[in-house]
Amino acid sequence: MNITRENIDELNAVVKVDIAKEDYAGKVEKILKDYRKNANIPGFRKGHVPMGMVKKQYGQAVLVDEVNKLLQDSLNNYLTEEKLDVLGNPIPKEQENFDWNKEEYTFEFELGLAPEFDVNLELEKPVTHYNIVADEKMVNNQIESIRKQYGKLISKDEAEEGDIVAGTFKNEEEGIEKETSVELEKLKGKRNLNKFVGAKVGDSFTLKTKNLFEDDHELIQHLGIEHDKAHDLDIEVEFTVKEINHRELAELNQELFDKLFGEGKVTSEDELKEKIKEDAAKQFKQQSDQQLMNDMTKQLIEQTKFELPKEFLQKWIQTVGEKPMTEEEAKEEYEKSEEGLRYQLIEGKIVNENNLTVEFEDLKAFAKEKIKEQMAQFGQMNPGDKELDDIAARILSNQDEVKRMSEQLMNEKLLGFYKEKMSFEEKEVTYDEFVKEIYE
């Protein structure tokens, strides 16, 4: 066997594999002899079928199979030995009138080669790391939400503003019949509110769906309709009142504080506000860090210039899926995935050059930390080491979980590395300000 490579340019090459008879003949002969021992052909005793008949019936299929195995193994070994960093997979070049009756074969494969480039961690444009804090409005809204959640419902005979009215929305033509509870403060406009205010159990009245609620998602929930239908739905629905309740807010007292955070952990409304701010900061940190990662990634892609074997990759995309793509479809898919591929190469270079690795002990510690966080949500604040080890062992026996957590941990290591090596500006903002800057 002989393997040679011709470099077309810095990003494209062709590998030529020459296979001679002596490379495959022994394996083919052995397999055919095994076939002969076990072949059941009418008119011949088992193991006494003439070899010529076995070769005629199975010879070419065995030959093709063995040559393809040999070809795949030798090509993989060549790429490893030559330390070729290829993109995608080798693409076999088509050969017209290929003849399997010959004794020697030649195969050619197109290769797409990864580019050589350097990564400069000094960002050309400033990147902001947002420190998102809970403002007074958010804290007060959270306190009100807690008081509602732990408050109690008081039954009433007649609806007033701020009440909760249970009943059924109905429209026979549209197939709508949905039992629900409407919080009157979420209605849009005085006209809709006035239909409910003063209503009693058993009353029915009609409402227009357009502009019924401040948020279209409320319409989806209360009518049981599809998301796409909610925005433009403009029909009349009948609402029949079944129950009226007023929500009495829970008092901000020690009993409520203990129920929320454990005995004696919070003892005043001021401490409650501080606890809400702390918990919000923890939740916002993940969002803030992810935005920093996104912005740094974008900067690295923009300032790290290198060429890709574009034509090769488009050709490879055509063949790699379950169904072959057209040239136009492959081009479109390449354009969608090019930025991701560029960052994959940049990230790989950073990881390799800076020895950023995920060891098993790192993964185990990471898994145990995540388990503790989840258990804390259900009130289990101090799980034992043995319990954590047992749960972590079960999780890490699942390869899909190992892959997912390894990627998550590597992402955290990369973020830590970026924070240490790359410059950024800190900026304190409220959540509303953060959303406005990022998404608007």
Side-chain angles (χ1 to χ4, degrees):
M1 182 187 299
N2 185 42
I3 303 181
T4 56
R5 181 174 86 247
E6 178 190 357
N7 290 331
I8 307 302
D9 54 37
E10 291 182 351
L11 299 174
N12 295 275
V14 173
V15 169
K16 183 179 177 183
V17 183
D18 295 316
I19 296 178
K21 184 177 180 179
E22 57 266 26
D23 296 322
Y24 62 82
K27 288 184 180 179
V28 170
E29 193 69 23
K30 183 180 182 302
I31 291 170
L32 290 175
K33 283 179 180 178
D34 290 339
Y35 273 32
R36 187 187 180 209
K37 290 177 187 176
N38 299 300
N40 287 311
I41 296 179
F44 298 95
R45 283 183 298 144
K46 188 175 181 180
H48 291 272
V49 179
M51 181 55 89
M53 184 175 288
V54 173
K55 286 183 177 181
K56 185 177 181 181
Q57 188 163 351
Y58 302 108
Q60 189 171 88
V62 172
L63 169 68
V64 171
D65 191 42
E66 287 306 306
V67 168
N68 278 327
K69 286 180 185 175
L70 181 64
L71 184 62
Q72 194 63 52
D73 289 344
S74 59
L75 186 58
N76 288 338
N77 291 337
Y78 175 81
L79 295 178
T80 302
E81 289 166 5
E82 293 292 312
K83 297 180 180 178
L84 289 177
D85 192 0
V86 298
L87 301 179
N89 293 318
I91 300 175
K93 294 185 78 171
E94 291 186 17
Q95 299 185 57
E96 291 184 9
N97 303 318
F98 188 84
D99 187 2
W100 283 103
N101 292 316
K102 292 182 178 180
E103 294 184 341
E104 296 185 347
Y105 311 106
T106 296
F107 302 91
E108 291 185 333
F109 294 86
E110 297 177 55
L111 301 183
L113 306 177
E116 292 289 335
F117 60 91
D118 294 316
V119 179
N120 183 3
L121 295 175
E122 292 184 13
L123 298 181
E124 295 172 358
K125 298 178 184 176
V127 171
T128 301
H129 186 211
Y130 294 95
N131 177 24
I132 309 171
V133 296
D135 59 2
E136 188 175 351
K137 177 184 174 185
M138 176 176 281
V139 171
N140 290 336
N141 285 343
Q142 183 64 22
I143 289 174
E144 186 177 358
S145 177
I146 290 170
R147 294 184 69 190
K148 282 182 178 180
Q149 183 181 347
Y150 288 90
K152 59 183 179 180
L153 294 177
I154 299 172
S155 181
K156 296 179 63 177
D157 295 324
E158 186 173 313
E160 296 178 90
E161 289 188 32
D163 287 345
I164 301 167
V165 181
T168 304
F169 279 111
K170 191 172 182 180
N171 180 300
E172 290 185 6
E173 191 175 322
E174 294 290 332
I176 294 171
E177 187 167 356
K178 182 78 163 53
E179 288 191 16
T180 188
S181 294
V182 178
E183 295 182 49
L184 300 192
E185 62 187 27
K186 293 185 178 180
L187 292 168
K188 186 174 183 178
K190 273 286 184 183
R191 180 179 296 179
N192 291 320
L193 179 61
N194 289 339
K195 290 284 184 82
F196 283 88
V197 171
K200 298 179 180 178
V201 173
D203 287 354
S204 294
F205 45 87
T206 59
L207 297 154
K208 285 188 175 292
T209 56
K210 193 169 183 64
N211 296 321
L212 180 56
F213 294 99
E214 293 286 353
D215 187 345
D216 281 341
H217 289 91
E218 295 287 337
L219 196 65
I220 295 167
Q221 176 189 332
H222 291 303
L223 300 188
I225 57 176
E226 294 177 2
H227 185 278
D228 294 341
K229 198 175 180 181
H231 184 65
D232 296 318
L233 189 65
D234 188 7
I235 60 171
E236 284 193 344
V237 286
E238 182 182 49
F239 185 82
T240 301
V241 179
K242 290 191 174 181
E243 189 178 343
I244 302 166
N245 291 295
H246 173 71
R247 190 187 298 278
E248 187 176 271
L249 301 181
E251 288 186 35
L252 293 177
N253 55 26
Q254 195 59 49
E255 182 183 353
L256 178 61
F257 300 153
D258 290 347
K259 194 179 291 184
L260 290 170
F261 305 108
E263 190 172 347
K265 298 285 180 64
V266 170
T267 59
S268 67
E269 186 175 342
D270 286 341
E271 287 183 14
L272 171 63
K273 289 181 176 181
E274 286 305 311
K275 188 75 171 82
I276 289 172
K277 287 180 180 179
E278 287 174 20
D279 291 345
K282 290 176 186 175
Q283 294 175 20
F284 293 148
K285 183 179 184 300
Q286 186 176 358
Q287 200 166 354
S288 172
D289 281 347
Q290 186 57 57
Q291 188 59 45
L292 178 65
M293 186 73 164
N294 293 346
D295 290 341
M296 286 181 163
T297 297
K298 185 178 179 183
Q299 283 293 309
L300 284 172
I301 293 170
E302 286 180 0
Q303 70 185 44
T304 308
K305 307 296 183 183
F306 53 82
E307 295 297 320
L308 288 170
K310 182 177 177 181
E311 289 75 16
F312 169 85
L313 288 169
Q314 289 180 12
K315 189 184 293 187
W316 174 67
I317 288 170
Q318 276 188 270
T319 62
V320 76
E322 291 181 9
K323 294 190 300 182
M325 290 186 181
T326 65
E327 284 187 23
E328 193 59 39
E329 288 172 334
K331 181 181 178 183
E332 186 178 332
E333 185 64 29
Y334 171 78
E335 288 171 354
K336 286 193 290 186
S337 60
E338 182 183 352
E339 190 172 280
L341 174 58
R342 287 182 177 278
Y343 181 65
Q344 192 177 340
L345 291 170
I346 294 168
E347 182 186 286
K349 193 171 184 69
I350 291 172
V351 166
N352 291 332
E353 290 183 351
N354 296 279
N355 298 315
L356 299 176
T357 58
V358 174
E359 305 295 340
F360 179 76
E361 287 304 315
D362 296 333
L363 198 58
K364 184 179 176 183
F366 182 72
K368 287 169 70 173
E369 204 55 44
K370 294 299 178 186
I371 294 164
K372 284 170 69 175
E373 288 175 10
Q374 289 185 352
M375 293 177 79
Q377 292 176 5
F378 296 96
Q380 295 176 265
M381 306 306 292
N382 296 300
D385 285 339
K386 186 178 184 309
E387 184 180 8
L388 287 172
D389 285 336
D390 290 345
I391 297 172
R394 286 200 300 273
I395 291 172
L396 296 177
S397 67
N398 182 319
Q399 289 304 309
D400 289 338
E401 278 298 308
V402 170
K403 182 175 182 294
R404 184 184 67 80
M405 295 184 79
S406 296
E407 290 172 353
Q408 198 173 349
L409 181 53
M410 178 53 76
N411 199 56
E412 287 194 8
K413 288 198 170 196
L414 272 167
L415 179 60
F417 176 79
Y418 289 165
K419 282 182 176 181
E420 181 184 343
K421 301 293 183 181
M422 299 161 73
S423 58
F424 54 88
E425 302 169 350
E426 291 279 0
K427 183 176 182 180
E428 185 173 293
V429 292
T430 66
Y431 184 73
D432 287 343
E433 289 169 342
F434 172 75
V435 169
K436 188 174 184 180
E437 284 203 27
I438 300 302
Y439 301 107
E440 293 181 15

